[in-house]
Amino acid sequence: MKVLVSDNLSAVGVDILKKESGIEVDVKTGLPKEELIKIIADYDGLIVRSATKVVAEIIQAADNLKVIGRAGVGVDNIDLAAAGAKGIIVMNAPEGNMITTAEHTMALLLSLSRNIPQASSTLKNKKWAPKEFMGVELFEKTLGIVGLGRIGSNVAERARGFKMKILAYDPYVTQERAEILGVELVEMKDLFERSDFLSLHTPGLADGTPLLGKEQFDQMKPGIRIVNCARGSLIDDAALIEAIKSKKVAGAALDVYHKEPLDLDSPLLEVDEIICTPHLGASTGEAQEKVATSMCDQIIDYLKYGNVRNAVNVPSIDAETLAKIQPYLTLGEDLGQFVSQLIDGPVTRVDIQYKGEVSTMQIKPVTNAILKGLFNRSIDEINMVNAPFIAKERGIEVQESTSSEVHEYTSTVQVQIISESGTRKVTGSIFGNGDSRIVQFDEYHMEAVLSKNMLVLNNMDVPGVIGNLGNILGKNKLNIAGFHLGRQKEEGKAISIVNIDSPPTTETLRALRDTSNILSVDSVTL
Ligand code: NAD
Ligand code: MLT
């Protein structure tokens, strides 16, 4: 396995990779895009920070790449859709720099309230001017936090130490969590109207529109001070400058920008009330060691053992969960593959029902395994990562449902495929010995073993059919390993699933199809 580190990563992380047997590591930083495109096919893993822009062209050339690791939080420098479609897992290291970034936020809050950078540079320019830099206290002021995630909560905890009152807007955080953090959850407008300081801690919005523009600045409490240590795209810079000029906003401290590195003739640098740091939020030795260590451990864990942690484009599965759901991953893939060979026309919808014990497990990976099975025969490079992307790309609607209800089996997984030519449904279960079986196919109940080669017959439920089948298979030297029958007495029809030791020839299939009372015959290979 070869791993490329294409940005400056703490040496501690690179050493972890170097010491790992079976992993070769190359550190090549600052490569232009064209160079990266030329060499990327040699690598199984790629580790970046924020400098390398992992664009679609690089991903398309990455024929052996299995994982991209981002040593940090934001994955906005990686084309997630292109990686997903190519079956490449993208992971981040979200916890390593949260404390450091929360501390940088506090540093900027204090800098803003006491004009520290401006005062320092004035003095260094040989001017003693204390009266120009009258500040404000944080004590008993209101801090509004947008995004109460890892960094937002750490900022809240630290700001409480300064005896600030803390409000937060985060539509995904529960009241209970906010209460534990000592934070009042409010609506965005309320947050703007009541905050003396505002700090942003959310990812950039997907469509790139700013969270703070003229409309929002107009709603804010006059004299508010704003800190952005999250992403530059969250603020409309021109509207911010305007709001500062009109005195609506007293000042802002920015660590992140729309375009990085920031253009040195940016108007942001011309405004005295704006403090700027060059994306330093995560820049401490401690944070860089933590993100590098976690990312390198994660990459090894995935490349060598298949454990997925902190993945942003597929569900993460730890080793314990993986062991528990492994039989269902195999069952799911087999069911998807089985039914894919019994449908005609493009699939439009997949309905998956998890019942019983399996419904309490992590089902997303099982769904992905079903989709992988469904596409196994039609798409070359299919895996559990790109299967859901491909389903989406092809406009296939995928629905999952869970129920604790159980009947004969402790768990069942039902896959219903709707194609332009009809609907087929197969239900599977895991038996005590770990064997996976089909327990229902369309409306027929049975207990059929899933094996490499199978024949699926639709026949009239009359005497002689099984005898004729045995004769034809015997004549064609096909050994029967198992036979499973599902009957619909009222209709006088049956479905037979026959396990055979080798695949049937076209002549065998023709002979079976020409046999009376056999309505259809399909060969299925897993
Ligand atoms: P996180 O995922 O733990 O927290 C983000 C929070 O934002 C979540 O609680 C989420 O519910 C909330 N959220 C999402 N969309 C929202 C919206 N529209 N309005 C309000 N809340 C919303 O992430 P984190 O680790 O705390 O990181 C936060 C941001 O900081 C990220 O953008 C990350 O890239 C950035 N970051 C910057 C630096 C730096 O160097 N300046 C360092 C680390 C992280
Ligand atoms: C992140 O998203 O982790 C930060 O932007 C810090 C970094 O530059 O890695």
Side-chain angles (χ1 to χ4, degrees), residues 49 70 72-76 92 94-95 97-98 100-102 104-105 145-153 169-173 188 200-205 211 228-231 234 255-256 260 279-283 288:
R49 283 186 55 209
R70 159 72 160 102
V73 185
V75 285
D76 35 6
N92 68 354
E95 295 196 343
N97 62 28
M98 65 185 184
T100 279
T101 309
H104 193 66
T105 306
I145 293 178
V146 184
L148 200 58
R150 283 174 290 254
I151 298 169
S153 341
Y169 168 71
D170 189 324
Y172 309 104
V173 160
M188 185 112 84
L200 305 184
H201 300 287
T202 74
L205 303 187
L211 199 71
N228 186 9
C229 272
R231 281 296 178 261
L234 291 169
D255 185 48
V256 283
E260 294 184 10
H279 204 142
L280 288 185
S283 294
Q288 286 314 309

Side-chain angles (χ1 to χ4, degrees), residues 210-416:
L211 199 71
L212 305 186
K214 181 175 176 346
E215 191 190 331
Q216 290 73 26
F217 290 124
D218 285 347
Q219 290 167 359
M220 290 179 192
K221 184 170 177 176
I224 192 169
R225 289 173 169 82
I226 299 168
V227 175
N228 186 9
C229 272
R231 281 296 178 261
S233 61
L234 291 169
I235 299 183
D236 174 342
D237 292 344
L240 172 68
I241 292 172
E242 220 18 74
I244 290 176
K245 284 196 179 141
S246 71
K247 308 276 180 222
K248 180 76 184 194
V249 171
L254 309 177
D255 185 48
V256 283
Y257 307 92
H258 284 260
K259 180 171 160 270
E260 294 184 10
L262 178 67
D263 283 337
L264 296 180
D265 55 3
S266 163
L268 291 171
L269 298 174
E270 305 299 322
V271 182
D272 288 343
E273 294 87 345
I274 298 181
I275 297 168
C276 295
T277 52
H279 204 142
L280 288 185
S283 294
T284 61
E286 293 90 334
Q288 286 314 309
E289 281 193 12
K290 278 188 265 182
V291 293
T293 308
S294 340
M295 186 40 66
C296 294
D297 285 342
Q298 285 171 218
I299 293 274
I300 293 170
D301 219 18
Y302 179 61
L303 287 180
K304 289 187 73 172
Y305 311 106
N307 294 331
V308 179
R309 283 188 279 148
N310 296 324
V312 297
N313 61 345
V314 288
S316 292
I317 321 176
D318 60 40
E320 203 184 317
T321 314
L322 182 65
K324 220 161 114 193
I325 64 167
Q326 187 58 60
Y328 290 99
L329 296 180
T330 311
L331 172 69
E333 186 173 342
D334 284 350
L335 293 179
Q337 215 172 172
F338 178 88
V339 74
S340 73
Q341 294 167 72
L342 299 165
I343 43 166
D344 293 317
V347 175
T348 53
R349 189 183 161 110
V350 180
D351 287 313
I352 306 167
Q353 240 181 54
Y354 296 94
K355 281 195 179 166
E357 207 177 67
V358 65
S359 69
T360 63
M361 298 179 185
Q362 207 180 334
I363 55 164
K364 258 282 165 274
V366 184
T367 297
N368 293 354
I370 292 169
L371 296 176
K372 172 178 186 283
L374 191 64
F375 297 131
N376 255 353
R377 304 183 71 77
S378 53
I379 294 171
D380 262 358
E381 299 286 330
I382 190 81
N383 60 29
M384 278 172 54
V385 181
N386 60 4
F389 286 89
I390 288 176
K392 197 166 168 212
E393 211 175 82
R394 297 181 169 204
I396 301 174
E397 203 181 321
V398 180
Q399 287 287 342
E400 296 158 313
S401 65
T402 54
S403 145
S404 53
E405 178 192 329
V406 279
H407 296 291
E408 277 171 76
Y409 307 98
T410 44
S411 289
T412 55
V413 178
Q414 184 181 82
V415 182
Q416 176 172 276

Side-chain angles (χ1 to χ4, degrees), residues 116-129 132-133:
I116 289 168
Q118 297 91 333
S120 169
S121 74
T122 305
L123 189 50
K124 287 192 168 198
N125 283 326
K126 318 284 179 213
K127 188 173 166 202
W128 181 264
E132 282 180 28
F133 300 109

